[in-house]
Amino acid sequence: MINLDDPQKFRPLVGQAHQVAMNMLRPISRKYDQAEHEYPQELDMLAAMIDGLSDSGASEGAGAAGVRREENDGDKTVKNGANLASVMSIAEMCWGDVGLLLSMPRQGLGNSAIASVANPEQLERFDGVWAGMAITEPGVGSDSANIKTTATLDGDHYVINGEKIYVTSGDRADAIVVWATLDRDLGRAAIKSFVVPKGTPGMRVDRLEHKLGIRASDTATIIFENCRVPAENLLGSPEVDVKQGFAGAMATFDNTRPLVAAMAIGCARASLDLTRELLEQAGVVVDYDRPAIVQSAAAAKFLQMEADWEGAYLLTLQAAWMADNREPNSLEASMAKAKAGRVGSDITLSCVELAGSLGYSEAELLEKWSRDSKILDIFEGTQQIQQLIVARRVLGLSSAELK
């Protein structure tokens, strides 16, 4: 029988994450939204605390990094593992603040890329490195297969040339995981990822973006001009497998998309919790024991939003659970990201509407959450791209057959 309750062994972790969100992130949320590009010094202490929990074994999946999934070794035991722990704890942290979570040292999206495709030696060498991830380029948005940045082998180094935009933590991270092609003529199969340490000659941060939301997180444009990277910094195998195609590189997204879905879930939950309180103060009570049709319009809308939120939450847990149990989850990861991204944006904007002038003002954080949530429907694959991936998977069609 399926059990939809949160795994008991993760409840202490989720409780800790909620306390951090409430007592450490919420109080400084508005401060760093207004002080865009200023590094939140308070996060250093939080990062040290998370490192301590992880080192002691007291916390599984305490951070935002993805989790490696090896081939099935024959173990049929059902596991609630680090992927599930990560999405649950991230949702709680984003109940506090999405931008601050994305600013956490050593918890970048590039860390998920390393966890997904690095070999054992690389996993050990890059342990503790704070890694951002550089995929998007000017003119190359959601279609990652058309990456123009090149990596040319020269002796025992690769020479990287190109421009990357919208790199989260691009100025603050210790290293950047850069997606580049080894040979444009071989198409998507030649795209590999490289770990480029901060300060490497030929890599420079060109500018920091001013954004609608997640303003506590720096978002950079990075230029690579004859940037020489040691060959051993190519993640995974340097061989180009035309038969495998883009699958190796795209495996990164199977880890990161449920994480982004969890961020949307946390932000939407924060909006729902506050809106319920504001409605109650205004005399609008949401009654879960009565049909929505016999309640006020505001209460009925709130019930509909909670139902949508529940669907997104369960899809996200499913995608993470499948990764823990070494089951292919590309379809489920995209479904979770599509559902949570859309629902998160819809809920936060609807909560602003339900709260009226109070929701639109800076007196509460509702307007901020509506701004923050929009990016969660865009990065790591837009809503439209996720729907396209789901359609291809369900119909069994290739990208050439269904564009």
Side-chain angles (χ1 to χ4, degrees):
M1 179 181 295
I2 188 170
N3 187 345
L4 299 180
D5 290 335
D6 294 342
Q8 187 170 357
K9 70 174 182 176
F10 294 152
R11 291 175 189 172
L13 170 64
V14 171
Q16 291 168 359
H18 186 79
Q19 290 301 314
V20 167
M22 180 169 58
N23 298 315
M24 298 185 70
L25 302 187
R26 279 279 181 96
I28 62 174
S29 182
R30 181 67 72 184
K31 172 185 175 181
Y32 288 106
D33 179 60
Q34 295 174 339
E36 188 172 14
H37 300 155
E38 180 180 335
Y39 176 67
Q41 299 290 340
E42 295 89 340
L43 296 182
D44 288 337
M45 180 178 67
L46 178 56
M49 182 178 70
I50 289 177
D51 288 345
L53 287 172
S54 298
D55 291 341
S56 68
S59 171
E60 183 176 15
V67 181
R68 191 175 187 82
R69 185 170 64 242
E70 305 289 359
E71 293 298 319
N72 197 316
D73 58 5
D75 183 3
K76 300 299 183 181
T77 305
V78 174
K79 300 174 183 176
N80 293 321
N83 281 285
L84 190 59
S86 289
V87 299
M88 292 175 67
S89 60
I90 285 170
E92 290 299 330
M93 295 284 277
C94 289
W95 183 90
D97 191 275
V98 176
L100 290 172
L101 175 80
L102 289 169
S103 301
M104 286 280 293
R106 295 178 296 286
Q107 307 298 327
L109 292 172
N111 293 100
S112 292
I114 293 171
S116 298
V117 297
N119 61 41
E121 184 275 330
Q122 291 170 332
L123 286 173
E124 183 176 356
R125 178 153 50 95
F126 296 126
D127 183 41
V129 170
W130 179 8
M133 188 155 65
I135 300 176
T136 306
E137 300 177 1
V140 182
S142 296
D143 190 3
S144 299
N146 281 327
I147 283 173
K148 300 296 191 296
T149 298
T150 59
T152 305
L153 186 62
D154 181 20
D156 57 358
H157 284 73
Y158 282 95
V159 181
I160 299 178
N161 283 283
E163 179 181 357
K164 295 292 184 178
I165 58 177
Y166 303 131
V167 183
T168 301
S169 300
D171 190 42
R172 298 172 183 166
D174 302 324
I176 304 296
V177 175
V178 182
W179 287 33
T181 179
L182 301 182
D183 187 339
R184 288 183 181 175
D185 293 335
L186 294 178
R188 58 182 63 195
I191 294 175
K192 301 289 182 179
S193 52
F194 301 79
V195 179
V196 184
K198 187 175 184 178
T200 300
M203 179 178 76
R204 61 181 172 86
V205 174
D206 188 58
R207 68 178 183 274
L208 297 179
E209 303 292 346
H210 294 280
K211 308 186 297 298
L212 174 71
I214 58 166
R215 298 175 69 187
S217 172
D218 69 319
T219 304
T221 292
I222 303 180
I223 307 295
F224 298 89
E225 295 176 328
N226 296 321
C227 180
R228 296 182 66 85
V229 180
E232 58 265 26
N233 282 23
L234 184 155
L235 293 175
S237 171
E239 300 299 322
V240 176
D241 186 348
V242 178
K243 292 182 179 179
Q244 185 188 36
F246 205 32
M250 293 303 289
T252 297
F253 289 127
D254 296 343
N255 275 347
T256 58
R257 282 171 177 159
L259 301 182
V260 176
M263 295 175 196
I265 286 164
C267 190
R269 184 74 258 169
S271 294
L272 288 170
D273 290 346
L274 178 55
T275 300
R276 186 194 296 109
E277 293 178 11
L278 295 175
L279 289 175
E280 289 177 353
Q281 292 171 15
V284 178
V285 177
V286 180
D287 189 343
Y288 293 94
D289 294 325
R290 297 168 59 217
I293 196 171
V294 299
Q295 299 190 54
S296 67
K301 176 65 176 178
F302 190 89
L303 288 170
Q304 175 253 311
M305 289 192 296
E306 286 214 315
D308 281 344
W309 181 91
E310 188 76 16
Y313 177 65
L314 292 176
L315 280 170
T316 302
L317 294 187
Q318 180 189 22
W321 181 90
M322 290 178 71
D324 282 334
N325 288 275
R326 301 170 180 174
E327 297 182 12
N329 72 333
S330 294
L331 171 62
E332 289 75 14
S334 288
M335 290 173 66
K337 170 65 168 62
K339 176 72 172 180
R342 179 179 58 78
V343 164
S345 188
D346 288 349
I347 285 176
T348 52
L349 277 173
S350 294
C351 286
V352 168
E353 181 181 350
L354 285 176
S357 58
L358 189 60
Y360 198 70
S361 73
E362 291 187 353
E364 299 288 354
L365 288 169
L366 287 172
E367 59 83 26
K368 179 185 181 301
W369 293 332
S370 70
R371 291 187 285 111
D372 288 346
S373 67
K374 187 57 194 173
I375 191 60
L376 304 176
D377 196 26
I378 298 174
F379 72 1
E380 297 298 294
T382 65
Q383 174 71 212
Q384 293 76 15
I385 288 297
Q386 299 310 317
Q387 292 184 20
L388 190 57
I389 292 171
V390 170
R392 289 171 182 165
R393 295 280 182 176
V394 170
L395 297 175
L397 299 176
S398 67
S399 57
E401 293 169 324
L402 181 61
K403 294 182 178 181

